[in-house]
Amino acid sequence: MKNRAWFFLIPTLFLVSISAFIPLMTVINYSIHYIFAGSMPTFVGLENYAEVLADPAFRGALGRQLVLSTLILAVEIPLGIAIALALPRKGWQMALCLVLLGIPLLIPFNVVGIIWRLFTQSDIGPLPELLAMFGYNFNVALDAFDAPATIFLLDVWHWTPLAALLSFAGLQAIPDAYYQAAEIDGASAWKTFRYVTLPKLKPVLILAVLLRFMDSFKIYAEPLLLTGGGPGSSTTFLSLHVARKAQSYDLGYAGAVSIIYLFIVIVFCYLFFQIITHLGKGEEG
Amino acid sequence: MRKRSIALIVYFVLLFIPIYWMVITSLKTDNEILKELTFFPKEITFKHYMEIFTSEVWRNSFINSLTYVFLNVIMTLVAAIPGAYAFSRWNFRGSHHLFFWLLTNRMAPAAVFMIPFTELYYILHIYDTVWAVALAHCLINIPLAIWILEGFMSGIPREIDETAFIDGYSFPRFFRKIFLPLIGPGIGVTAFFCFTFSWVELILAQALTVTNAKPVVVTLTVGIGAEGVKWGLLAAAGFLTIIPGAVVVYFVRNYMAKGFALGRV
């Protein structure tokens, strides 16, 4: 009977092997070779990894990436839950809100970059003008704080709706009986949220956190279009760093960065997944 | 309650200001865009839209994008529905690890896969076709689809399967007549997310196409060319890329609501 499960998984495994497994093996293969545009690859073992880890450009990109992803999670998930709680729970208002929330998600990454360039560029966008009224001299192209701050704002703008939609789905799945019981027990609004809503939202929040973490680690087109990774390297996040190396045909280095990168994301997601699934066990009811 | 609705309205206004800015930019003349900030175009022009509609490159790239997104959604669902069924119904050796491992594929930065994909799809003779992009996007969509569908399927009691078998339903008949309709909203939600992620993806779409299958997201970046940025044209094209998605959302809105009401996603 159990072998039947594998039978059902054949299409998945087939597609995943050509869209993920084989390419990944190729990348691992690159990472242990010295390859440079067209020359014959030579086996170098872990040398590429050592080179990456010692590279200040990589460390800088990783550091910026960690700060960005942490901020994104810290803001988008709570904000998403708050929005989900405020959404109407039925009728046309709900449908309208879902459609409105869905729209930013459907904007291609590079169009998001373009929108924000139109919005924040000095001399064509309203944001610098607005901030100038408050005496702040905003310049996304030249200021090493404004540029990453804009990327952060852009990401919150683009992806908070995802957290909101997922949280809303979770909220909708909580039976009313739980709230009635909490009300009868005289639980405060906060306690109801803490002991009824939050534990019940756990499965969707796990998905939201995992998706936001791994996707924020992949941020690429937005900084590329907004500032091209600059000024300096203030918006060169990991993906941009990898892509640059790969495009300059430094395949060994690019492969090694990629594997390290993947390792970091998997370890974080795995730990998070394990901790959160075991942690809340007692609270679920 | 009132305070909540006001906060919500403020949020939606903020959410749509950048989009509004893009829309009005697309209707302004190039001169007006560069000369001054106006919050409503002084002189409405459809010049940028005309430029897009009359260009074969733009038209083809819209068609290419829609084609590979469509192919990808179909492929993803065909693979993910049975896959998710396996995960939701059986606890086989290594199933938990496999389930998590699937998601790890989504974690890889797309930039990593550019070159291996190019090599692989050359060998398969599908480089620079919509099939290459559709297949490549399975990387990001299959894991997500399985995770979402598994949630919906686990919400359906196993007793339903068992009762159906006792009633003499064959497996395919049970699947088609009973199970699929039950998880219909879940499939709708999954299809929506797959559509979204395939429609917005840029890196792989760019790496795997040259001319024949060039998608609209790539044509868009071409607008940022050497002869200065054509802001009006970019804004118009950007706005057009939102429309197919908005149409999809409009049609699945009730499904979305129902799906969201039903599943734990």
Side-chain angles (χ1 to χ4, degrees):
Chain A
M1 205 43 196
K2 294 205 165 169
N3 290 331
R4 221 168 156 183
W6 289 101
F7 175 74
F8 282 92
L9 280 168
I10 290 171
T12 296
L13 293 176
F14 172 72
L15 281 178
V16 169
S17 66
I18 49 175
S19 74
F21 190 69
I22 297 174
L24 188 62
M25 289 303 116
T26 320
V27 176
I28 292 177
N29 189 32
Y30 288 155
S31 75
I32 49 171
H33 285 85
Y34 176 79
I35 313 175
F36 214 83
S39 65
M40 281 303 282
T42 20
F43 179 77
V44 294
L46 296 178
E47 242 170 68
N48 284 322
Y49 288 88
E51 191 197 335
V52 171
L53 291 173
D55 183 355
F58 167 76
R59 291 186 186 178
L62 178 64
R64 277 188 289 278
Q65 185 67 65
L66 287 171
V67 171
L68 181 76
S69 292
T70 312
L71 285 175
I72 282 175
L73 284 179
V75 170
E76 288 180 16
I77 304 294
L79 190 61
I81 299 174
I83 293 163
L85 284 169
L87 286 180
R89 300 294 290 269
K90 51 180 178 294
W92 66 268
Q93 295 101 324
M94 176 182 85
L96 177 72
C97 287
L98 291 181
V99 171
L100 291 180
L101 280 176
I103 286 174
L105 299 178
L106 286 154
I107 305 176
F109 298 130
N110 54 343
V111 177
V112 171
I114 289 165
I115 291 179
W116 280 78
R117 219 169 138 176
L118 290 170
F119 194 64
T120 58
Q121 189 100 336
S122 311
D123 61 81
I124 60 164
L127 193 69
E129 201 89 345
L130 182 77
L131 289 171
M133 284 200 283
F134 294 97
Y136 185 79
N137 191 5
F138 177 92
N139 194 322
V140 71
L142 295 176
D143 190 291
F145 172 78
D146 291 351
T150 306
I151 297 287
F152 169 68
L153 205 65
L154 166 160
D155 199 87
V156 170
W157 172 82
H158 194 192
W159 290 112
T160 304
L162 182 79
L165 280 178
L166 287 172
S167 308
F168 184 68
L171 283 179
Q172 290 287 72
I174 304 174
D176 285 336
Y178 285 96
Y179 291 108
Q180 284 154 6
E183 205 178 323
I184 292 166
D185 290 347
S188 65
W190 165 249
K191 284 215 160 140
T192 311
F193 177 73
R194 173 69 188 79
Y195 294 104
V196 179
T197 312
L198 211 51
K200 284 282 162 195
L201 281 184
K202 209 176 70 181
V204 289
L205 289 182
I206 291 176
L207 189 63
V209 170
L210 288 177
L211 277 180
R212 279 319 303 139
F213 181 77
M214 63 180 91
D215 286 356
S216 70
F217 243 72
K218 292 201 286 196
I219 193 164
Y220 171 81
E222 297 92 327
L224 186 68
L225 277 155
L226 193 73
T227 55
S233 54
S234 60
T235 53
T236 304
F237 299 104
L238 269 184
S239 228
L240 211 56
H241 185 64
V242 178
R244 284 211 181 122
K245 290 291 179 182
Q247 275 153 357
S248 60
Y249 294 99
D250 197 348
L251 294 183
Y253 182 99
V257 181
S258 310
I259 301 302
I260 294 171
Y261 173 126
L262 197 56
F263 181 75
I264 295 169
V265 184
I266 291 177
V267 166
F268 173 86
C269 289
Y270 187 76
L271 287 179
F272 171 79
F273 191 60
Q274 289 299 327
I275 290 170
I276 209 81
T277 16
H278 291 295
L279 188 84
K281 282 263 156 74
E283 284 177 11
E284 248 179 318
Chain B
M1 206 60 218
R2 280 220 68 107
K3 239 194 274 170
R4 266 189 195 175
S5 340
I6 292 167
L8 202 60
I9 290 167
V10 170
Y11 173 75
F12 278 121
V13 169
L14 288 177
L15 195 63
F16 279 86
I17 287 177
I19 299 179
Y20 170 76
W21 194 257
M22 175 174 70
V23 174
I24 60 163
T25 305
S26 75
L27 295 171
K28 288 178 182 173
T29 58
D30 286 324
N31 209 355
E32 189 179 343
I33 294 169
L34 291 175
K35 219 172 67 199
E36 59 192 320
L37 281 182
T38 43
F39 291 88
F40 190 79
K42 273 197 244 158
E43 191 188 329
I44 292 181
T45 169
F46 291 98
K47 188 182 72 137
H48 307 302
Y49 289 95
M50 285 317 291
E51 193 174 337
I52 292 169
F53 287 129
T54 51
S55 144
E56 205 172 325
V57 178
W58 280 104
R59 236 187 0 247
N60 285 341
S61 52
F62 267 102
I63 294 170
N64 287 334
S65 288
L66 286 169
T67 316
Y68 72 66
V69 170
F70 178 75
L71 288 175
N72 173 267
V73 171
I74 301 291
M75 279 189 215
T76 305
L77 288 179
V78 166
I81 291 173
Y85 186 80
F87 283 115
S88 84
R89 289 304 190 249
W90 292 295
N91 236 331
F92 51 94
R93 185 193 292 261
S95 64
H96 280 99
H97 293 287
L98 188 64
F99 194 56
F100 186 78
W101 173 78
L102 275 176
L103 198 63
T104 63
N105 288 307
R106 200 177 192 281
M107 298 172 193
V112 174
F113 284 157
M114 283 188 318
I115 291 158
F117 268 151
T118 310
E119 289 181 349
L120 182 66
Y121 293 156
Y122 253 121
I123 299 169
L124 296 175
H125 292 289
I126 53 169
Y127 185 73
D128 198 17
T129 66
V130 286
W131 289 97
V133 187
L135 263 177
H137 284 175
C138 286
L139 170 74
I140 43 180
N141 277 343
I142 286 190
L144 182 73
I146 288 189
W147 271 58
I148 295 179
L149 284 170
E150 195 272 341
F152 276 96
M153 290 180 182
S154 298
I156 291 169
R158 273 162 213 248
E159 287 77 40
I160 291 188
D161 309 28
E162 284 153 17
T163 320
F165 297 139
I166 291 168
D167 289 349
Y169 274 78
S170 68
F171 188 81
R173 194 151 158 261
F174 151 76
F175 212 74
R176 217 178 54 240
K177 291 268 176 194
I178 300 175
F179 199 71
L180 284 184
L182 275 175
I183 55 157
I187 296 176
V189 173
T190 311
F192 164 71
F193 276 117
C194 292
F195 177 94
T196 307
F197 282 111
S198 180
W199 180 254
V200 301
E201 205 280 335
L202 170 74
I203 308 175
L204 294 175
Q206 186 169 23
L208 296 176
T209 54
V210 188
T211 47
N212 295 330
K214 195 147 105 182
V216 68
V217 280
V218 176
T219 312
L220 255 170
T221 37
V222 177
I224 303 182
E227 78 251 50
V229 185
K230 293 177 173 171
W231 294 113
L233 189 69
L234 275 183
F239 178 62
L240 290 176
T241 61
I242 303 183
I243 292 176
V247 171
V248 170
V249 184
Y250 181 77
F251 282 113
V252 301
R253 71 188 189 287
N254 289 326
Y255 233 35
M256 262 167 85
K258 227 176 24 184
F260 280 149
L262 195 118
R264 64 170 180 88
V265 174

